Amino acid sequence: MIRIKNQVQIQGIRKSCELLSELFEELGPAVVPGISTGELDALARKFIESRGGKPAFLGYYDYPASLCISINEEVIHGIPGSRTVKPGDLVGIDCGIDLGGYFSDAAMSVAVPPVSPETERLSRVTRECLSLAIAAVRPGARIHDISRAVFEHAKAAGYGVVRQYCGHGVGLAVHEDPQVPNYVGGGPNPRLAPGMVLAIEPMINAGGDAVVDLEDGWTVVTEDGSLSAHFEHTVLVTASGAEVLTRWDA
Ligand code: MF3
Ligand code: CO
């Protein structure tokens, strides 16, 4: 069931997204060589809790941290710890906040200098996939219009598109209906309507589509070891189109 959010709920989700955006503004500059992923996680947790929120991923299916940090060939759900950021890394940071029962979700991949041309291109194309997906959002359009926008742009660039993990509804829980796949295929294809809130999140690989789950039970990596990028926004469907509720680069 897709929940249509009312004005009170939308205001709550907006605030949660605003807090998450402020956190991303703090995290971006903190991603420098030598910092450990555990330190970034601690920074995020402290920030969220100091502002009255809860890290939404912490404890979700027993996930042990506030951020997912996925570096280079890691696609999503990397667990923060003692690993340190190195020059040239592509550092994916994914976070969700529960602020008074209202949930936000966003992710960005931060390229640490010196940035290789390959990293720059994958990162740019993945951001473009997200922009094109958001441009497809309007009442009457369908979920697969979002999927097609991501898929076609990534494939035209010669990249792999992750199939096992999707975007999703969000706002009143970490994950809600509908699923928002990044590939064109079967599956439910509901129409978008004002008041829907979607987490749109292309996960794009420099190599093939295939991914593998690591033995830690969480970390997802590319099967061929190729670089992977991930950008995500929480997006509200409005009467005329889309309103992007999160930000990480404005
Ligand atoms: N960030 C993921 C998403 O966008 C959710 C992470 S769930 C966790 O759907 F348990 F790994 F935290
Ligand atoms: Co998400």
Side-chain angles (χ1 to χ4, degrees):
M1 191 229 358
I2 304 178
R3 289 192 268 195
I4 303 292
K5 279 72 176 182
N6 64 35
Q7 285 307 317
V8 171
Q9 293 167 333
I10 289 170
Q11 260 322 103
I13 296 164
R14 227 190 265 289
K15 281 206 179 115
S16 180
C17 289
E18 178 54 34
L19 188 58
L20 184 55
S21 303
E22 286 180 39
L23 170 60
F24 273 96
E25 275 168 16
E26 302 246 321
L27 282 174
V31 181
V32 293
I35 194 164
S36 73
T37 54
E39 287 170 314
L40 290 168
D41 188 70
L43 190 160
R45 182 171 184 172
K46 212 170 138 204
F47 177 90
I48 295 166
E49 290 177 346
S50 75
R51 303 286 292 269
K54 283 191 283 191
F57 301 165
L58 185 63
Y60 184 74
Y61 290 99
D62 291 328
Y63 185 72
S66 301
L67 300 178
C68 298
I69 303 185
S70 310
I71 300 179
N72 298 335
E73 80 287 355
E74 296 174 350
V75 179
I76 48 166
H77 298 171
I79 303 172
S82 58
R83 179 173 181 173
T84 54
V85 170
K86 303 278 184 294
D89 277 350
L90 184 60
V91 182
I93 300 183
D94 191 348
C95 188
I97 295 178
D98 167 359
L99 186 64
Y102 298 111
F103 290 77
S104 49
D105 191 357
M108 63 177 178
S109 292
V110 179
V112 181
V115 182
S116 72
E118 293 80 3
T119 298
E120 180 66 43
R121 180 169 177 268
L122 176 68
S123 185
R124 173 179 56 77
V125 169
T126 307
R127 278 197 309 272
E128 288 167 355
C129 285
L130 179 54
S131 297
L132 290 164
I134 292 166
V137 173
R138 61 190 153 69
R142 290 183 180 273
I143 287 292
H144 289 185
D145 297 327
I146 297 172
S147 310
R148 192 175 314 104
V150 172
F151 187 80
E152 287 182 352
H153 190 62
K155 286 295 168 186
Y159 289 148
V161 177
V162 175
R163 292 167 181 268
Q164 280 91 334
Y165 296 89
C166 295
H168 50 90
V170 68
L172 305 177
V174 174
H175 291 136
E176 300 176 27
D177 284 343
Q179 285 207 352
V180 185
N182 293 308
Y183 57 92
V184 184
N189 189 18
R191 273 190 199 283
L192 305 181
M196 290 182 182
V197 179
L198 304 174
I200 302 178
E201 49 179 320
M203 293 157 247
I204 307 299
N205 305 335
D209 299 343
V211 297
V212 176
D213 300 328
L214 293 190
E215 271 145 35
D216 64 14
W218 285 102
T219 313
V220 179
V221 300
T222 56
E223 189 181 62
D224 58 13
S226 67
L227 199 63
S228 187
H230 180 209
F231 289 89
E232 174 177 27
H233 274 314
T234 296
V235 176
L236 170 68
V237 184
T238 66
S240 57
E243 182 184 336
V244 184
L245 300 180
T246 45
R247 91 195 115 64
W248 21 250
D249 57 359

